[in-house]
Amino acid sequence: HRFLASKEQFHAYLRARGELSSGGEEEEDQVEEKKEEVCSCQSEPPAKRVKSEDLGQDGESREDGGVEEEPVERKQARGQNKGRLCMKPNHYEQSRLCPSVTQGCAEKCYFGPRCRFLHDVSEYMASKPADLGRSCVLFETFGKCIYGVTCRFAQAHLGVGYQNIVNTDLAKQWEGKSLVRNNLSKDLQHQLRKRKFSFRKADEYLRGLAKPRGDGGKGGKTTERSTEEQEVSNCTTPQEDLGDSPECPVLLEQGEDPKPDALKSPSPTAGEEASSVKTVGPVTDEDIIKLRSCEKKKLEIQGKLYLAPLTTCGNLPFRRICKCFGADVTCGEMAVCTNLLQGQSSEWALLKRHHTEDIFGVQLEGAFPDTMTKCAELLNQTIEVDFVDINVGCPIDLVYKKGGGCALMTRSNKFEQIVRGMNSVLDVPLTVKIRTGVQEKINVAHKIIPKIREWGASMVTLHGRSREQRYTRGADWDYIAECAKIASPMPLFGNGDILSYEDANRAMQMGVSGIMIARQVPVGALIKPWLFTEIKEQRHWDISSSERFDILKDFTNYGLEHWGSDTQGVEKTRKFLLEWLSFLCRYIPVGLLEHLPQKINERPPYYMGRDYLETLMASQNVDDWIKISELLLGPVPTNFTFLPKHKANSYR
């Protein structure tokens, strides 16, 4: 109990050490006196300190909170901070240099006479904020910083007359190498915005859904056939019969029933639409004939550690951190299919893949078969992925009320059309992530999983909570084990409450094919990214505060590589760092725990770390998170504000 502290002790210690670091070492004796004064004060009763139900969402005790106020507090602690101030990173820089000047082609300004950016480098440098450091991670890693004079670490690579210095030998090593894939090209964005992209296979499937059935059924209903009949039609039926069958719209593919009008397309990419790979030389069968389900590449990830798609925080720099700690499979953040079809750059950024991510997938969210099938065909032709995942587990109201996420579990007809349609246009495996159900005590996953297997999915991930539970209470691993038996031979990954290697071992004994490690638990991938190392090495890692700070340094460097080292990139890196710190602060060092491992919903009392940095990292105060970011990225801009996107209710 020597690490326990009251709220006043905790904040007074951080305040005093902060003043010490800025005022000098001569104030150290005064700091110790302040600490003794605080410790001599009457501390909070242990019952009030320890009980989680008497603590607020932000970690501060509720002095006036009565029994009747608790439901109001719980309601406010759910979902997102929708009323937060949203200041974009580019707003922190008033005078910006024109990109044409940065790229060395000032005579060819993209905006012409209407350009509102500065073209005079000297004028820009006069108003540019001070540099944040003497070394630029881009220059040290790649031999060249593409941001030139706009880089916030420009003194490392600027010569006489603001000339950008290039390390030729180092730059040659990276020349021609693609570090980040799945970028959105301007040509593709133009096609999507002008609706000129060809969705031939998706349109073919959707026309099949609209046709009246031979048995008098409605066009919106898909035919119910057994798995054996599906296998026969997919693998052994002659191709001549496939095009004539009105009950098999999924199988109407190029090369099976060729028609002149189907092969002609006004799109400039008509010759490339059959394959996502551009070929040189003669056209092969792979360019013309669509792979059948039995010929598709299998998703061999049984027994591997799967990093879940994490909204906001599961960005590319964070996934690189998890790869370093031993994550085997990574997945991009949830992307909304309608935004992808519109060519939104911000949504396409969620699909980017680093070259170190050897097994990588993307997760799509949508509510209707037309948009989901078209989006699947779009991605199949334009990006490199190992699998595509359908989000049928998102609990937030914005998605649920539109019929997506968890709502698809109650819309089995649309769900079936989406899975069958996406599977028909994809050359890579299709996976599905679901929850136990919508309502808390009514599990429906065991009824849906056999259907998902029949519809053609390659794998299912089951989160052991319902929509109503969100991320609270314990995951039902007994139910996950029951569903794993039902899903066989289709692989089923379990998700929920993997807090240590012991929990991972217990989960694997339940009969699941693997485990997905997510975030919405007190110790998940976001709170404890080294959990992957603990599982692989079968140990509890009492990681020091300096080692944790080094992880934040790596994230900062990865962020500057990904988002840029100019003011806009620095502030975007800071934003995502602060979002991550809002989760990292919940980690309790192993050396301070009374028993191992930490359990879900255990809300710790205030405690003093073994050093100042460990105490600072345990603070749930936004100002302390900003202080950590300033240690890595320099002082924040004037009028800087931050409020995390997600409210934390996991401890309730």
Side-chain angles (χ1 to χ4, degrees):
H1 296 280
R2 63 193 178 96
F3 294 107
L4 292 178
S6 66
K7 184 177 85 172
E8 290 79 10
Q9 286 176 314
F10 181 85
H11 290 296
Y13 173 68
L14 290 180
R15 217 167 28 244
R17 285 302 298 266
E19 293 170 1
L20 174 64
S21 60
S22 60
E25 295 188 2
E26 64 272 5
E27 299 180 6
E28 187 170 357
D29 297 334
Q30 299 177 10
V31 172
E32 293 300 326
E33 289 176 9
K34 286 182 183 179
K35 275 186 70 175
E36 290 175 7
E37 288 176 10
V38 171
C39 293
S40 63
C41 295
Q42 186 176 3
S43 59
E44 297 170 318
K48 184 177 181 181
R49 274 205 317 266
V50 177
K51 286 186 179 180
S52 63
E53 56 266 23
D54 291 336
L55 293 171
Q57 171 260 333
D58 58 352
E60 299 184 0
S61 56
R62 286 181 277 130
E63 297 174 0
D64 317 317
V67 177
E68 53 269 314
E69 289 186 5
E70 186 178 356
V72 177
E73 180 70 19
R74 289 194 62 169
K75 185 175 181 182
Q76 291 177 350
R78 297 172 74 93
Q80 299 182 349
N81 287 312
K82 296 179 181 178
R84 66 178 184 154
L85 292 172
C86 185
M87 197 165 182
K88 294 183 178 180
N90 58 1
H91 291 170
Y92 295 116
E93 193 175 24
Q94 301 299 327
S95 301
R96 299 176 64 190
L97 192 66
C98 182
S100 62
V101 179
T102 309
Q103 296 169 13
C105 51
E107 65 281 356
K108 296 181 181 179
C109 179
Y110 310 116
F111 307 103
R114 296 180 299 171
C115 183
R116 293 178 294 178
F117 300 114
L118 296 177
H119 283 252
D120 188 346
V121 177
S122 300
E123 183 183 352
Y124 170 77
M125 293 299 289
S127 60
K128 180 189 172 185
D131 280 0
L132 301 175
R134 297 181 179 179
S135 63
C136 172
V137 63
L138 293 176
F139 180 70
E140 291 181 352
T141 306
F142 305 109
K144 179 182 179 181
C145 178
I146 61 174
Y147 295 93
V149 294
T150 62
C151 175
R152 295 299 302 276
F153 308 87
Q155 58 182 300
H157 51 78
L158 281 189
V160 181
Y162 305 120
Q163 290 297 314
N164 199 22
I165 300 173
V166 178
N167 184 338
T168 311
D169 296 334
L170 187 56
K172 281 183 178 178
Q173 297 178 16
W174 294 98
E175 191 174 352
K177 293 183 180 179
S178 177
L179 302 179
V180 178
R181 305 174 217 165
N182 302 345
N183 294 298
L184 174 64
S185 66
K186 289 294 180 184
D187 181 51
L188 177 59
Q189 187 178 46
H190 179 77
Q191 288 183 49
L192 293 173
R193 288 179 173 176
K194 299 298 182 181
R195 298 187 180 181
K196 292 182 179 179
F197 192 88
S198 174
F199 298 101
R200 189 187 59 79
K201 295 171 186 174
D203 290 337
E204 212 165 332
Y205 172 77
L206 295 170
R207 280 197 299 269
L209 291 182
K211 288 180 182 177
R213 301 302 174 194
D215 56 358
K218 293 183 180 179
K221 303 275 185 179
T222 55
T223 55
E224 308 231 350
R225 296 190 297 166
S226 66
T227 309
E228 291 79 15
E229 290 174 343
Q230 288 284 338
E231 288 298 323
V232 169
S233 63
N234 284 344
C235 301
T236 62
T237 305
Q239 291 185 1
E240 297 83 58
D241 298 332
L242 295 178
D244 300 327
S245 172
E247 296 186 1
C248 192
V250 176
L251 301 172
L252 291 174
E253 295 156 351
Q254 186 172 358
E256 294 175 348
D257 187 19
K259 297 177 183 177
D261 55 330
L263 296 176
K264 293 180 181 177
S265 172
S267 170
T269 60
E272 302 169 8
E273 67 186 34
S275 173
S276 59
V277 180
K278 293 183 178 179
T279 60
V280 178
V283 179
T284 63
D285 288 346
E286 292 180 359
D287 301 310
I288 300 176
I289 302 173
K290 178 74 167 59
L291 291 176
R292 293 172 290 179
S293 60
C294 58
E295 298 173 328
K296 281 187 179 181
K297 179 183 175 182
K298 302 297 181 184
L299 188 62
E300 302 290 346
I301 61 173
Q302 284 84 344
K304 295 186 181 293
L305 297 179
Y306 184 174
L307 172 66
L310 307 172
T311 306
T312 304
C313 295
N315 44 63
L316 187 143
F318 175 75
R319 297 199 303 271
R320 288 184 65 182
I321 294 288
C322 292
K323 283 296 293 183
C324 293
F325 282 114
D328 299 310
V329 184
T330 55
C331 187
E333 301 175 56
M334 180 188 78
V336 180
C337 65
T338 51
N339 295 344
L340 293 174
L341 291 171
Q342 292 168 6
Q344 291 186 15
S345 301
S346 58
E347 207 72 21
W348 276 82
L350 306 178
L351 310 180
K352 289 185 178 180
R353 172 185 190 171
H354 195 260
H355 70 96
T356 57
E357 297 181 272
D358 46 353
I359 306 177
F360 174 76
V362 295
Q363 187 182 67
L364 299 180
E365 182 278 320
F368 301 99
D370 56 344
T371 52
M372 289 290 277
T373 307
K374 287 182 178 180
C375 190
E377 183 176 4
L378 170 65
L379 300 187
N380 191 63
Q381 296 185 35
T382 55
I383 67 172
E384 296 178 28
V385 291
D386 297 298
F387 63 92
V388 175
D389 186 64
I390 305 175
N391 187 325
V392 194
C394 184
I396 64 173
D397 295 339
L398 181 67
V399 173
Y400 181 81
K401 289 179 179 179
K402 292 182 178 179
C406 278
L408 280 176
M409 298 184 72
T410 62
R411 304 168 67 225
S412 58
N413 183 38
K414 294 296 181 189
F415 192 8
E416 178 181 0
Q417 292 173 359
I418 288 172
V419 175
R420 287 191 187 275
M422 292 179 69
N423 193 47
S424 70
V425 300
L426 284 172
D427 293 331
V428 294
L430 180 69
T431 65
V432 182
K433 187 172 187 288
I434 62 173
R435 284 178 175 255
T436 59
V438 175
Q439 295 174 311
E440 185 172 345
K441 296 181 180 179
I442 304 177
N443 294 333
V444 296
H446 63 283
K447 299 177 182 177
I448 297 175
I449 287 173
K451 296 180 181 179
I452 295 175
R453 181 185 60 210
E454 180 185 338
W455 299 337
S458 300
M459 191 187 83
V460 166
T461 304
L462 178 59
H463 185 173
R465 297 181 180 88
S466 65
R467 177 183 180 262
E468 285 186 353
Q469 287 177 295
R470 298 248 172 170
Y471 303 106
T472 58
R473 306 193 184 178
D476 191 347
W477 274 93
D478 292 330
Y479 183 65
I480 293 177
E482 178 187 337
C483 290
K485 294 177 183 177
I486 296 172
S488 183
M490 179 180 65
L492 183 140
F493 270 52
N495 173 222
D497 300 358
I498 306 297
L499 315 179
S500 65
Y501 75 90
E502 296 161 343
D503 293 328
N505 295 343
R506 201 175 301 116
M508 290 303 295
Q509 292 171 2
M510 292 287 189
V512 296
S513 302
I515 52 176
M516 175 185 276
I517 298 176
R519 61 149 181 208
Q520 271 84 0
V521 288
V523 188
L526 275 181
I527 290 88
K528 186 178 173 182
W530 54 92
L531 177 58
F532 298 100
T533 301
E534 290 190 352
I535 294 173
K536 290 195 170 181
E537 297 182 1
Q538 296 289 292
R539 67 183 176 97
H540 292 292
W541 185 357
D542 187 11
I543 188 169
S544 66
S545 59
S546 60
E547 289 174 309
R548 290 164 62 194
F549 191 72
D550 287 339
I551 295 172
L552 297 179
K553 280 183 183 176
D554 289 339
F555 177 85
T556 302
N557 290 336
Y558 295 158
L560 294 174
E561 283 183 30
H562 185 57
W563 291 303
S565 58
D566 58 345
T567 299
Q568 185 172 343
V570 166
E571 293 312 317
K572 190 170 284 191
T573 302
R574 191 193 305 275
K575 168 193 167 186
F576 285 106
L577 174 64
L578 291 170
E579 291 283 2
W580 187 21
L581 286 171
S582 70
F583 289 91
L584 275 175
C585 65
R586 305 180 206 170
Y587 170 70
I588 307 174
V590 169
L592 273 59
L593 289 172
E594 290 184 2
H595 58 83
L596 293 173
Q598 181 185 352
K599 297 295 182 183
I600 189 171
N601 294 336
E602 284 186 342
R603 182 84 176 229
Y606 285 95
Y607 66 89
M608 309 291 283
R610 290 165 289 189
D611 54 42
Y612 169 69
L613 189 57
E614 192 167 77
T615 309
L616 183 65
M617 288 180 172
S619 173
Q620 299 201 12
N621 189 336
V622 175
D623 293 333
D624 291 323
W625 304 341
I626 294 175
K627 189 182 297 183
I628 294 173
S629 81
E630 290 182 322
L631 296 175
L632 296 161
L633 291 168
V636 296
T638 310
N639 302 325
F640 179 85
T641 58
F642 174 76
L643 191 64
K645 181 177 180 181
H646 295 277
K647 296 179 181 177
N649 66 340
S650 297
Y651 290 111
R652 292 306 182 87

